Amino acid sequence: MTSNNRNFLAYLDEMDLITILLPLSYHQGLSSSFSLTDGLGESRLQTIKKYFIEGYYKYICRFSEEYDFGKQYWIIDEHSGKTDLQIGAVIRTEAFDQKFYYEGHDLGVTYQKDQCLFKLWAPTAVQVKLKLSPPSSPDSEIVKLKRGDKGIWSVIVSRDLEYYQYSYLVQVNQEWREAVDPYVKAVSANGEAGVIVNLKKTDRPKITLPPLKVRWMPLFTKHI
């Protein structure tokens, strides 16, 4: 489902509030009820506000259960119409920041000769995949990542991936997008992919300089 075939729109704007927009071209923009489903269970939404804006009726609805950001949800209206619930203004709320704030310093790629750990912070994604390409090769493979706490997606690939190029395929709001790792340590010549490097090879020995001999001079000189 994409924006081209949504009969109406629904956005998660707060942790417990959903904004639904019904165009006048769809049942005159009217619906007496809405429900929320993840494809398994279904719960009724409480409509707390309804008003008209240009070309739409806007409904503000509340739900009681905890929202699982790792799932895809849908909204169903009284006409049995269905649309995907998109991530909206909730990402700008303090509650969202508190729920997904991550204090770790291990995002990106952790390289070892026999394995690589990939970690990406993507709390609004419902799926994340890793796209890997060998050096100087047009071929690529796709590896699924697993969602963990704080919206962290991760996977371990158990082989030497030095100089491989990589990017992430992220699904948000029913759309897949390819993105460069925001914590990448090196990129390809065109900047379209990350490059896995062994940072130990870039280490340089520290040079210890002899202590400087500093002659003390008064800040002010008194003339007689």
Side-chain angles (χ1 to χ4, degrees):
M1 178 180 290
T2 67
S3 58
N4 293 328
N5 56 19
R6 292 178 177 125
N7 290 322
F8 60 97
L9 302 172
Y11 300 94
L12 181 68
D13 283 339
E14 294 187 27
M15 287 297 195
D16 62 346
L17 290 181
I18 295 171
T19 298
I20 301 173
L21 297 173
L22 266 63
L24 295 181
S25 58
Y26 177 77
H27 298 281
Q28 292 79 50
L30 301 176
S31 178
S32 61
S33 64
F34 298 97
S35 59
L36 176 69
T37 180
D38 61 359
L40 299 175
E42 186 174 329
S43 60
R44 186 80 172 261
L45 298 178
Q46 176 190 4
T47 301
I48 57 178
K49 286 184 182 180
K50 170 191 170 184
Y51 50 93
F52 177 76
I53 59 175
E54 185 176 356
Y56 293 87
Y57 271 104
K58 182 175 183 178
Y59 300 80
I60 307 298
C61 301
R62 189 185 303 278
F63 59 98
S64 56
E65 65 269 20
E66 183 177 359
Y67 188 89
D68 186 345
F69 282 84
K71 290 183 179 180
Q72 179 62 59
Y73 290 87
W74 289 267
I75 301 297
I76 301 174
D77 68 0
E78 72 160 312
H79 314 289
S80 299
K82 183 178 179 181
T83 192
D84 58 310
L85 178 57
Q86 301 182 65
I87 301 299
V90 67
I91 61 173
R92 296 190 292 273
T93 64
E94 184 177 350
F96 182 89
D97 290 341
Q98 291 177 350
K99 183 177 180 66
F100 293 112
Y101 178 72
Y102 182 63
E103 296 181 327
H105 301 284
D106 56 349
L107 297 176
V109 179
T110 302
Y111 172 84
Q112 295 181 21
K113 189 170 181 61
D114 59 344
Q115 69 175 32
C116 282
L117 169 62
F118 297 84
K119 297 188 78 171
L120 176 70
W121 185 79
T124 61
V126 295
Q127 290 191 75
V128 176
K129 297 178 182 180
L130 171 68
K131 181 179 177 181
L132 276 174
S133 299
S136 304
S137 172
D139 299 329
S140 61
E141 63 176 299
I142 302 297
V143 181
K144 289 186 177 180
L145 279 73
K146 182 179 180 181
R147 186 185 179 100
D149 294 339
K150 301 297 183 180
I152 303 298
W153 295 80
S154 64
V155 69
I156 294 176
V157 179
S158 299
R159 63 180 188 274
D160 189 0
L161 296 178
E162 188 174 10
Y163 303 127
Y164 270 61
Q165 294 187 12
Y166 75 103
S167 60
Y168 290 112
L169 304 174
V170 182
Q171 187 187 35
V172 179
N173 293 339
Q174 291 289 295
E175 295 182 4
W176 284 97
R177 295 190 178 182
E178 185 170 359
V180 177
D181 185 356
Y183 294 89
V184 68
K185 299 178 176 68
V187 295
S188 59
N190 56 18
E192 294 180 355
V195 178
I196 302 170
V197 293
N198 182 1
L199 292 179
K200 291 183 179 180
K201 291 184 178 181
T202 66
D203 290 343
R204 295 291 183 269
K206 294 183 179 179
I207 300 175
T208 304
L209 298 175
L212 295 175
K213 294 182 179 180
V214 180
R215 182 180 178 185
W216 181 82
M217 297 292 288
L219 293 178
F220 302 97
T221 302
K222 184 178 180 180
H223 295 276
I224 301 176

